[in-house]
Amino acid sequence: MKIDVSVIMTPAHGKIISEDAFRVSQKSTVPFFVTVVDGHGPGHLLNAETSGFSQFVADQLSKLFQQKKNANAFDDIFDCVQKQVSVMYGDLPFGAVASCLCIQPDSLTIAQAGDCRLYRFDVEEECGYTLLTQDHCVENAKEMIRLRPFYQTGQFAPIGNGYDDWMSAFPEERLHYKTKEGNWSTSSLEPTRGFGDPEFHPAFTHVPEIRSVAFDATQEVLYGFCSDGGAKILQEVFKYTRWNGGCRDEGFLERVSATTKMFIPNKPEDDVTIILLRIQPNLPTS
């Protein structure tokens, strides 16, 4: 198979440094590895410090996968990275969500901790895509079940923090923890899985959700892998591409990449990282 990649990154608010990070295999061979990491930290920390944390997580995920080269090792890989984070950063309030892809000849494996997203371009869908991941947040049905025992201890709670957008009828709930003084924390998290954020442990966990998706190795497929800041943009790009025919000729990836850049605002409200992955079957040599 042939794997072509296009990476589009734009920092939020016109900043120079993004708090996102990524790593992509250098060669189009399988297993092919990609990771997207989206960092966060309290407002008093410099953007560059959070960026450094994200890059550390991305580098370690990539390094460990290159050593193991096995999608079945993702649980161990995430465990090792969290241990390294604990050693390097201790109680510092850095955090990051992260997702990894392992592409093999007839399938891809997704290891997800947080709210980075994976989309598949799909001309059969009116919206132009199929979403292959679900965000880990307090409103996710599976996460509600996982978090319930932590809520019952009285040390963690989902609390409304205003509205995630002006059209929402319900306040966005985020994860809070009980402080030593017995009050609910002023800091909160929207994602419920990822690396770091020691004050939210053990409710906030690095343990990934892992699933495999089969695909027909004789057919071409286009995936979009992004941080949450790129999600709505990628949705619009795939919808636009579908309504404009989705012609998969030699310049297909370049056109989708150019469309993506066109849809990104000059100063987006959140860091945007979008990785386009075009997978083509090997063409016959004779």
Side-chain angles (χ1 to χ4, degrees):
M1 65 168 48
K2 182 173 183 282
I3 304 174
D4 292 311
V5 180
S6 177
V7 179
I8 303 100
M9 290 189 76
T10 302
H13 307 296
K15 295 179 181 178
I16 298 175
I17 298 174
S18 173
E19 294 180 347
D20 292 350
F22 72 94
R23 277 288 176 264
V24 179
S25 292
Q26 296 300 307
K27 296 181 180 180
S28 181
T29 57
V30 292
F32 189 87
F33 175 83
V34 189
T35 186
V36 173
V37 179
D38 183 353
H40 53 263
H44 69 275
L45 292 176
L46 295 175
N47 179 247
E49 293 178 293
T50 306
S51 176
F53 180 83
S54 300
Q55 197 61 64
F56 175 80
V57 171
D59 289 344
Q60 296 307 310
L61 287 169
S62 178
K63 177 183 176 181
L64 289 168
F65 183 84
Q66 297 308 323
Q67 291 174 1
K68 297 178 182 291
K69 296 187 180 296
N70 188 339
N72 294 325
F74 273 131
D75 276 320
D76 290 339
I77 290 171
F78 276 56
D79 276 344
C80 289
V81 172
Q82 177 56 39
K83 289 175 182 176
Q84 292 170 340
V85 164
S86 297
V87 170
M88 288 290 295
Y89 290 88
D91 293 331
L92 292 175
F94 290 104
V97 298
S99 292
C100 299
L101 300 183
C102 172
I103 300 173
Q104 309 214 56
D106 58 357
S107 68
L108 65 81
T109 299
I110 311 161
Q112 178 191 9
D115 55 9
C116 296
R117 294 186 179 184
L118 178 67
Y119 295 86
R120 181 179 63 228
F121 177 64
D122 193 342
V123 294
E124 300 299 323
E125 296 291 339
E126 186 172 353
C127 62
Y129 63 83
T130 299
L131 177 61
L132 300 177
T133 55
Q134 288 189 334
D135 295 350
H136 292 134
C137 61
V138 297
E139 296 167 348
N140 176 313
K142 291 181 180 179
E143 286 297 274
M144 287 181 183
I145 295 172
R146 184 185 70 80
L147 291 167
R148 189 175 299 143
F150 299 108
Y151 298 158
Q152 292 172 345
T153 67
Q155 297 302 306
F156 300 93
I159 300 175
N161 282 66
Y163 297 83
D164 50 3
D165 63 71
W166 66 274
M167 296 179 66
S168 176
F170 301 98
E172 175 194 33
E173 289 191 336
R174 298 167 66 96
L175 183 65
H176 289 251
Y177 64 92
K178 189 70 69 69
T179 66
K180 294 178 180 178
E181 293 74 29
N183 303 314
W184 289 115
S185 60
T186 55
S187 60
S188 61
L189 292 178
E190 183 175 355
T192 51
R193 300 196 195 196
F195 296 99
D197 287 311
E199 65 270 36
F200 289 90
H201 289 184
F204 183 79
T205 180
H206 66 278
V207 176
E209 181 177 358
I210 301 173
R211 63 176 297 213
S212 292
V213 179
F215 58 82
D216 186 347
T218 66
Q219 300 295 317
E220 179 180 324
V221 62
L222 175 68
Y223 293 103
F225 191 27
C226 65
S227 60
D228 67 332
K232 290 183 179 179
I233 295 167
L234 193 51
Q235 291 170 16
E236 291 299 318
V237 168
F238 279 2
K239 182 178 181 179
Y240 176 91
T241 302
R242 177 189 181 271
W243 283 105
N244 281 274
C247 179
R248 304 194 188 203
D249 57 12
E250 186 176 347
F252 179 54
L253 182 63
E254 288 74 17
R255 288 197 306 277
V256 178
S257 181
T259 301
T260 302
K261 294 174 184 177
M262 180 179 70
F263 272 88
I264 297 175
N266 289 332
K267 295 182 179 180
E269 295 183 0
D270 194 5
D271 295 319
V272 175
T273 298
I274 295 174
I275 301 179
L276 300 169
L277 298 144
R278 185 187 189 186
I279 303 175
Q280 298 172 272
N282 290 324
L283 299 176
T285 56
S286 61

